Amino acid sequence: MAARRTAAAGSGGGAESSPHDAFVPLDELMPWSVRPLRTGRAWVSGPDPVALRARWERLAGADAAEQERLFAPTRSRTPHTPVAALPGRPAGTARFARDPGPCPDPVRILHGPYDEQWLLPDHRLIDAARPELWRVADGQQFFAVEHSCAPEDAGPALSVTALLPDGHSPAGRPGRIRPLHRRPGGTEPNLAPGLLELLRGRLGGSGTEPDAFTPETVLAWFLAAARPSPTGALVPLPADAEVWSAGVALGRELLRLQSRGARGGERPRLPGGRRPYVRAALPARPAELSYDAEEEALIVGAGRISPVPAAAWEFTVGGVRVLELWFGRRAAAAAGRGPDGAVADGLDAVGARGWPREWTSELLELITVLALLDGTTGPREELRAALDAGPLIGPGELRAAGVLPVPPSARRPASVLGHQEEGPEGQFALL
């Protein structure tokens, strides 16, 4: 690999020799981004879809005064606020207080980096649902979510999901959400115009695989190579084809693990003998979680799961243990408490049914994902060292090639309306 880097450095092409100065903000490479969702009320989302349906029924059947209290009004939403429908969702647009309509089917979302939860997809209940994200959320889409943190933090700079993410951050400022495609159907990549062509020209060759330079492979590179910073993710772009290929291969594996095998990938599985199993049944309402390092066992109340690698237990994002955070939210929901564990007031307490079997399956899968992600530490460190050694394609070369600066239109959502969208009170939105 070193010989290939030396050859690339001597070939011209404008590679910048000071690696850290040559990092490119992800904001320049994936220019369209959307702010995180803001629900305005905790009860519209959670780990249990059955509880969400029960909350809806309680709210819809309440008298006017009780409905106002349970709704938890904000400046953006009250039971009387007229709003447009969420794109692609059948929920009504009549004012909730007048005609709630039937409960919409809860949709799967990603709450933070590794927590798959559920959301009631009704625009009347959500302060800022970001309709532009819903318009492009389909079977071909991936979403990258940035994690704002200091460079010395051990956590990843960004995560990727095939689900609609809410952009929640377990610690620090919520991250921007960057769809891979600007239009439904996997069309028009959300990449700086000309970036794919530049990478293909600089790093491609006669033996290059046909899919070596696609929007998804570039996303895989970002996932493998991005570095965290307080202002957003920074991306080193290699000037060497061998480094590029290694990073893309690593990124594809990270993409498969983080998306749980979505879009045709294989679901994560640990090798035989290392797969976690329930050794003692989990109680109906476990209140405590701990780890037995000697036995490699996760203690869930009176329940027990093993083997659980220490790396999965210690896996953090933003300085917060992922397993502890995931468990805490479900332990609170099982006991009818709020997401932060506080005594619930209102709809947060509605629908608690203990610890359903689905959560145990999800916990086993999360342990698997975290263990396999930790297994990529070696390749990630090798890639980091190769990039630090350079050379890199930096902002200067991107400007010379006309890739930067990106046009203002690339930072705005594309017009994707293939049909009329229903506005407030049954009106049709003119967009």
Side-chain angles (χ1 to χ4, degrees), residues 43 58-59 64-73 79 345-347:
W43 61 264
R58 169 75 181 277
L59 181 68
E66 179 67 357
Q67 187 177 90
E68 185 82 15
R69 184 187 74 83
L70 292 173
F71 191 92
D345 178 25
L347 292 177

Side-chain angles (χ1 to χ4, degrees), residues 1-2 5-6 9 16-20 23 227 243 382-392:
M1 188 177 290
R5 287 199 299 273
T6 302
E16 300 188 9
S17 58
S18 180
H20 294 279
F23 290 178
R227 310 280 181 91
V243 177
E382 291 178 8
L383 179 64
R384 186 183 185 98
L387 291 169
D388 286 344
L392 300 178

Side-chain angles (χ1 to χ4, degrees), residues 310-327:
W313 169 249
E314 296 291 347
F315 197 101
T316 63
V317 173
V320 179
R321 276 199 185 114
V322 170
L323 283 176
E324 286 186 318
L325 186 63
W326 185 96
F327 170 80

Side-chain angles (χ1 to χ4, degrees), residues 24-33 178 182 189-195 398-399 402-412:
V24 186
L26 183 65
D27 186 60
E28 299 293 336
L29 301 176
M30 294 186 80
W32 176 41
S33 67
R178 301 182 187 274
R182 292 168 49 81
N190 179 26
L191 299 172
L195 177 63
L398 296 179
R399 286 191 293 268
V403 176
L404 298 183
V406 297
S409 60
R411 298 191 179 279
R412 298 191 294 266

